[in-house]
Amino acid sequence: MGKFARSWELMKASAGVLRSDKSLLVFPLLSGICSLVVMASFLIPVASMTIEGERLGVHYQHGLSTASWTLLFFFYLVQYFVIFFFNTALAGVALKRLRGEAASVSEGLALAGSRFGAILGYALIAATVGLLLRMVQERLGLIGRFIVGLIGLAWTVATFLVVPVLAGEGVGPVEAVQRSVELLRRTWGENLIGNAGLSVVFGVIGFVFVLASAVLVGGAFATHSITAVVAAIGIVVLGFIALALVQSSLQGIYAAALYRYAEEGEAGTGFPPGLLEQAFRSKS
């Protein structure tokens, strides 16, 4: 309960920054839209080729071919670039806000644009790691999924502060990963309680929202009104989108606050230092 309460306080501190600058929601919104465009640009041609192949009686081999692995790699590369680009823009604006400075969406996008090469390089690293993990999973089945889960967790921890480093320091992708590992090891060790806690908090909120959505949609169907059903589904979809935008923004703000705390000993406006010290205890 103590960890949950602390995580709730951390989320409230992040929410305070978001309330002071709601334009931060624009970055995950743009990221989501661009990600959908990227996904469609890859999936639609593949689906069309598959359907046409089935019509012509072409049988595909079990597992992925070299061409399929190559296509998957480029999909990872473009998708990661889009995500990292807008996350860097968000981190840049959040860092300014935490320093008490004014910042705009255009300034965040300009900052991310100035880091284009580093972001692309980091996307290349992430895509390579993602593809290798997918290959291990494909080859080893259940054991592979377990191994991928462990390696994926280690990679997530190691790269936790890469985006704020890219936004705050403008270093290259390899150095950004090294800096992320250094900052985590030096300041908080292995106890990423706060970030996990944020996920738990949003998991609880998401679960409550799903139950409420089920009641709302079920009630709409009970009225036998098409208008009510469409309205209920629309409200649920918009609610899920809003929840996802808020969660992504809060996680970006939180990561920026942790980066500032590691570098300067204070997170910034709205984040009491003692709160972060309790959430991330140094490895003894």
Side-chain angles (χ1 to χ4, degrees):
M1 291 300 296
K3 293 178 182 178
F4 183 86
R6 185 164 56 245
S7 299
W8 181 255
E9 293 299 321
L10 288 168
M11 191 185 74
K12 288 199 298 184
S14 300
V17 177
L18 182 59
R19 281 195 300 270
S20 69
D21 186 3
K22 297 180 179 62
S23 66
L24 291 170
L25 293 168
V26 172
F27 298 114
L29 176 62
L30 293 175
S31 179
I33 293 173
C34 292
S35 294
L36 289 175
V37 171
V38 171
M39 189 176 300
S41 67
F42 277 87
L43 293 183
I44 291 177
V46 171
S48 300
M49 286 169 37
T50 302
I51 293 173
E52 182 65 16
E54 291 292 336
R55 188 181 68 83
L56 297 175
V58 177
H59 299 287
Y60 296 94
Q61 64 181 20
H62 178 70
L64 296 178
S65 64
T66 302
S68 297
W69 282 116
T70 303
L71 181 64
L72 183 61
F73 172 78
F74 280 106
F75 170 72
Y76 282 166
L77 177 62
V78 178
Q79 191 79 314
Y80 278 133
F81 176 81
V82 167
I83 294 171
F84 296 152
F85 182 87
F86 289 107
N87 283 355
T88 301
L90 169 61
V93 174
L95 285 172
K96 282 196 171 186
R97 284 294 180 182
L98 291 170
R99 290 194 295 265
E101 303 173 6
S104 64
V105 172
S106 59
E107 288 177 316
L109 294 175
L111 173 66
S114 69
R115 309 285 199 261
F116 184 93
I119 295 172
L120 181 60
Y122 180 44
L124 181 62
I125 294 173
T128 302
V129 172
L131 189 71
L132 292 175
L133 293 180
R134 178 65 182 273
M135 287 180 172
V136 171
Q137 185 176 14
E138 287 286 329
R139 290 178 179 275
L140 300 182
L142 181 61
I143 298 177
R145 284 193 291 272
F146 178 73
I147 295 174
V148 166
L150 292 178
I151 298 176
L153 177 61
W155 174 253
T156 299
V157 171
T159 59
F160 185 64
L161 294 177
V162 168
V163 167
V165 168
L166 288 175
E169 301 182 20
V171 297
V174 175
E175 186 177 351
V177 174
Q178 293 172 340
R179 287 280 294 138
S180 177
V181 174
E182 174 193 345
L183 292 174
L184 284 171
R185 186 193 306 120
R186 186 180 70 198
T187 312
W188 302 293
E190 299 170 348
N191 289 317
L192 294 177
I193 300 171
N195 189 53
L198 288 175
S199 298
V200 170
V201 169
F202 269 97
V204 173
I205 294 174
F207 178 73
V208 173
F209 183 79
V210 168
L211 292 180
S213 299
V215 172
L216 177 63
V217 174
F221 272 103
T223 65
H224 302 289
S225 169
I226 297 297
T227 302
V229 171
V230 171
I233 293 175
I235 292 172
V236 169
V237 171
L238 290 177
F240 271 114
I241 292 174
L243 187 62
L245 293 180
V246 171
Q247 181 177 5
S248 296
S249 298
L250 292 184
Q251 286 177 334
I253 295 168
Y254 184 51
L258 296 179
Y259 168 71
R260 283 204 77 230
Y261 182 77
E263 282 290 274
E264 303 176 24
E266 61 177 6
T269 306
F271 280 84
L275 193 61
L276 288 173
E277 289 171 0
Q278 292 173 14
F280 288 83
R281 293 188 285 273
S282 297
K283 184 178 179 182
S284 59

